[in-house]
mmCIF file of all heavy atoms in Angstrom:
data_model
loop_
_atom_site.group_PDB
_atom_site.id
_atom_site.type_symbol
_atom_site.label_atom_id
_atom_site.label_comp_id
_atom_site.label_asym_id
_atom_site.label_seq_id
_atom_site.Cartn_x
_atom_site.Cartn_y
_atom_site.Cartn_z
ATOM 1 N N ASN A 132 17.785 -7.787 -11.927
ATOM 2 C CA ASN A 132 18.327 -6.487 -11.426
ATOM 3 C C ASN A 132 17.328 -5.843 -10.505
ATOM 4 O O ASN A 132 17.782 -5.144 -9.537
ATOM 5 C CB ASN A 132 18.647 -5.603 -12.671
ATOM 6 C CG ASN A 132 19.855 -6.118 -13.382
ATOM 7 O OD1 ASN A 132 20.716 -6.806 -12.853
ATOM 8 N ND2 ASN A 132 19.874 -5.821 -14.647
ATOM 9 N N GLU A 140 19.233 -1.566 -2.435
ATOM 10 C CA GLU A 140 19.260 -0.177 -2.648
ATOM 11 C C GLU A 140 19.226 0.662 -1.320
ATOM 12 O O GLU A 140 19.742 1.751 -1.297
ATOM 13 C CB GLU A 140 18.107 0.253 -3.577
ATOM 14 C CG GLU A 140 18.115 1.712 -3.971
ATOM 15 C CD GLU A 140 19.218 2.142 -4.818
ATOM 16 O OE1 GLU A 140 19.904 1.244 -5.385
ATOM 17 O OE2 GLU A 140 19.459 3.313 -4.926
ATOM 18 N N TYR A 164 20.431 -8.320 7.677
ATOM 19 C CA TYR A 164 20.112 -9.193 8.788
ATOM 20 C C TYR A 164 20.865 -8.871 9.996
ATOM 21 O O TYR A 164 20.450 -9.017 11.146
ATOM 22 C CB TYR A 164 20.242 -10.679 8.402
ATOM 23 C CG TYR A 164 19.208 -11.149 7.445
ATOM 24 C CD1 TYR A 164 19.536 -11.580 6.137
ATOM 25 C CD2 TYR A 164 17.852 -11.092 7.801
ATOM 26 C CE1 TYR A 164 18.521 -11.974 5.239
ATOM 27 C CE2 TYR A 164 16.845 -11.581 6.925
ATOM 28 C CZ TYR A 164 17.231 -11.957 5.666
ATOM 29 O OH TYR A 164 16.208 -12.312 4.771
ATOM 30 N N VAL A 205 -4.242 -9.069 4.460
ATOM 31 C CA VAL A 205 -4.970 -9.393 3.243
ATOM 32 C C VAL A 205 -6.108 -10.326 3.506
ATOM 33 O O VAL A 205 -6.192 -10.900 4.605
ATOM 34 C CB VAL A 205 -4.037 -10.024 2.168
ATOM 35 C CG1 VAL A 205 -2.870 -9.002 1.855
ATOM 36 C CG2 VAL A 205 -3.372 -11.263 2.711
ATOM 37 N N ALA A 211 -3.145 -18.208 -2.583
ATOM 38 C CA ALA A 211 -3.271 -17.045 -3.402
ATOM 39 C C ALA A 211 -2.046 -16.125 -3.281
ATOM 40 O O ALA A 211 -1.508 -15.551 -4.223
ATOM 41 C CB ALA A 211 -4.549 -16.262 -3.160
ATOM 42 N N GLU A 221 8.487 -12.648 -11.155
ATOM 43 C CA GLU A 221 8.729 -12.603 -12.628
ATOM 44 C C GLU A 221 8.726 -11.181 -13.099
ATOM 45 O O GLU A 221 9.509 -10.695 -13.928
ATOM 46 C CB GLU A 221 7.605 -13.387 -13.300
ATOM 47 C CG GLU A 221 7.735 -13.422 -14.816
ATOM 48 C CD GLU A 221 6.662 -14.252 -15.507
ATOM 49 O OE1 GLU A 221 5.873 -14.882 -14.765
ATOM 50 O OE2 GLU A 221 6.642 -14.249 -16.758
ATOM 51 N N SER A 226 11.506 -6.371 -15.344
ATOM 52 C CA SER A 226 11.394 -4.876 -15.450
ATOM 53 C C SER A 226 12.708 -4.313 -15.895
ATOM 54 O O SER A 226 13.733 -4.667 -15.423
ATOM 55 C CB SER A 226 11.038 -4.327 -14.113
ATOM 56 O OG SER A 226 11.991 -4.629 -13.117
ATOM 57 N N PRO A 230 12.469 -0.563 -11.086
ATOM 58 C CA PRO A 230 11.981 0.610 -10.365
ATOM 59 C C PRO A 230 12.976 1.156 -9.398
ATOM 60 O O PRO A 230 13.721 0.409 -8.756
ATOM 61 C CB PRO A 230 10.775 -0.035 -9.581
ATOM 62 C CG PRO A 230 11.093 -1.485 -9.468
ATOM 63 C CD PRO A 230 11.862 -1.790 -10.687
ATOM 64 N N SER A 257 0.285 -1.942 2.238
ATOM 65 C CA SER A 257 0.298 -1.522 3.649
ATOM 66 C C SER A 257 1.258 -2.417 4.451
ATOM 67 O O SER A 257 1.969 -1.875 5.294
ATOM 68 C CB SER A 257 -1.133 -1.632 4.223
ATOM 69 O OG SER A 257 -1.155 -1.398 5.601
ATOM 70 N N SER A 274 -14.153 12.688 -3.355
ATOM 71 C CA SER A 274 -13.679 13.918 -3.960
ATOM 72 C C SER A 274 -12.160 14.048 -3.634
ATOM 73 O O SER A 274 -11.621 13.335 -2.795
ATOM 74 C CB SER A 274 -14.448 15.082 -3.392
ATOM 75 O OG SER A 274 -14.218 15.187 -1.994
ATOM 76 N N VAL A 292 -0.059 1.967 12.934
ATOM 77 C CA VAL A 292 -0.698 2.418 14.159
ATOM 78 C C VAL A 292 -1.263 1.238 14.884
ATOM 79 O O VAL A 292 -1.814 0.311 14.296
ATOM 80 C CB VAL A 292 -1.912 3.402 13.780
ATOM 81 C CG1 VAL A 292 -2.691 3.790 15.035
ATOM 82 C CG2 VAL A 292 -1.352 4.600 13.035
ATOM 83 N N ALA A 316 18.639 12.950 13.093
ATOM 84 C CA ALA A 316 19.524 14.026 13.575
ATOM 85 C C ALA A 316 19.177 14.592 14.923
ATOM 86 O O ALA A 316 19.891 15.358 15.558
ATOM 87 C CB ALA A 316 19.571 15.134 12.543
ATOM 88 N N ILE A 356 9.760 -0.295 18.833
ATOM 89 C CA ILE A 356 8.607 -0.826 18.119
ATOM 90 C C ILE A 356 8.958 -2.052 17.344
ATOM 91 O O ILE A 356 9.990 -2.036 16.606
ATOM 92 C CB ILE A 356 8.014 0.239 17.167
ATOM 93 C CG1 ILE A 356 7.613 1.534 17.965
ATOM 94 C CG2 ILE A 356 6.823 -0.341 16.442
ATOM 95 C CD1 ILE A 356 6.408 1.411 18.832
ATOM 96 N N ALA A 381 -18.075 10.622 26.551
ATOM 97 C CA ALA A 381 -19.339 10.521 27.313
ATOM 98 C C ALA A 381 -20.496 11.116 26.532
ATOM 99 O O ALA A 381 -21.657 11.098 27.014
ATOM 100 C CB ALA A 381 -19.171 11.229 28.640
ATOM 101 N N ILE A 405 2.067 18.482 9.607
ATOM 102 C CA ILE A 405 1.956 19.188 10.864
ATOM 103 C C ILE A 405 2.038 20.672 10.639
ATOM 104 O O ILE A 405 2.926 21.218 9.951
ATOM 105 C CB ILE A 405 3.185 18.765 11.819
ATOM 106 C CG1 ILE A 405 3.143 17.253 12.094
ATOM 107 C CG2 ILE A 405 3.058 19.553 13.107
ATOM 108 C CD1 ILE A 405 1.901 16.726 12.662
ATOM 109 N N PHE A 406 1.062 21.407 11.284
ATOM 110 C CA PHE A 406 0.944 22.824 11.106
ATOM 111 C C PHE A 406 1.119 23.605 12.357
ATOM 112 O O PHE A 406 1.509 24.788 12.332
ATOM 113 C CB PHE A 406 -0.412 23.220 10.494
ATOM 114 C CG PHE A 406 -0.646 22.659 9.127
ATOM 115 C CD1 PHE A 406 -1.125 21.391 8.917
ATOM 116 C CD2 PHE A 406 -0.282 23.387 8.051
ATOM 117 C CE1 PHE A 406 -1.324 20.830 7.635
ATOM 118 C CE2 PHE A 406 -0.449 22.902 6.700
ATOM 119 C CZ PHE A 406 -0.997 21.626 6.563
ATOM 120 N N CYS A 414 0.723 17.837 18.432
ATOM 121 C CA CYS A 414 0.919 18.299 17.114
ATOM 122 C C CYS A 414 -0.461 18.408 16.430
ATOM 123 O O CYS A 414 -1.246 17.452 16.514
ATOM 124 C CB CYS A 414 1.864 17.437 16.259
ATOM 125 S SG CYS A 414 3.556 17.453 16.865
ATOM 126 N N GLY A 416 -2.380 18.493 12.929
ATOM 127 C CA GLY A 416 -2.102 18.170 11.618
ATOM 128 C C GLY A 416 -3.203 17.477 10.825
ATOM 129 O O GLY A 416 -4.231 17.056 11.358
ATOM 130 N N ARG A 478 -16.534 22.478 32.686
ATOM 131 C CA ARG A 478 -15.582 23.262 33.483
ATOM 132 C C ARG A 478 -16.320 24.268 34.346
ATOM 133 O O ARG A 478 -15.939 24.469 35.516
ATOM 134 C CB ARG A 478 -14.669 24.043 32.502
ATOM 135 C CG ARG A 478 -13.672 23.184 31.748
ATOM 136 C CD ARG A 478 -12.609 24.062 31.124
ATOM 137 N NE ARG A 478 -13.179 24.964 30.137
ATOM 138 C CZ ARG A 478 -13.299 24.701 28.844
ATOM 139 N NH1 ARG A 478 -12.865 23.454 28.410
ATOM 140 N NH2 ARG A 478 -13.736 25.563 27.980
#
Side-chain angles (χ1 to χ4, degrees):
N132 290 334
E140 183 68 14
Y164 288 117
V205 299
E221 182 178 356
S226 61
S257 174
S274 63
V292 176
I356 303 289
I405 303 300
F406 295 88
C414 292
R478 289 193 299 268

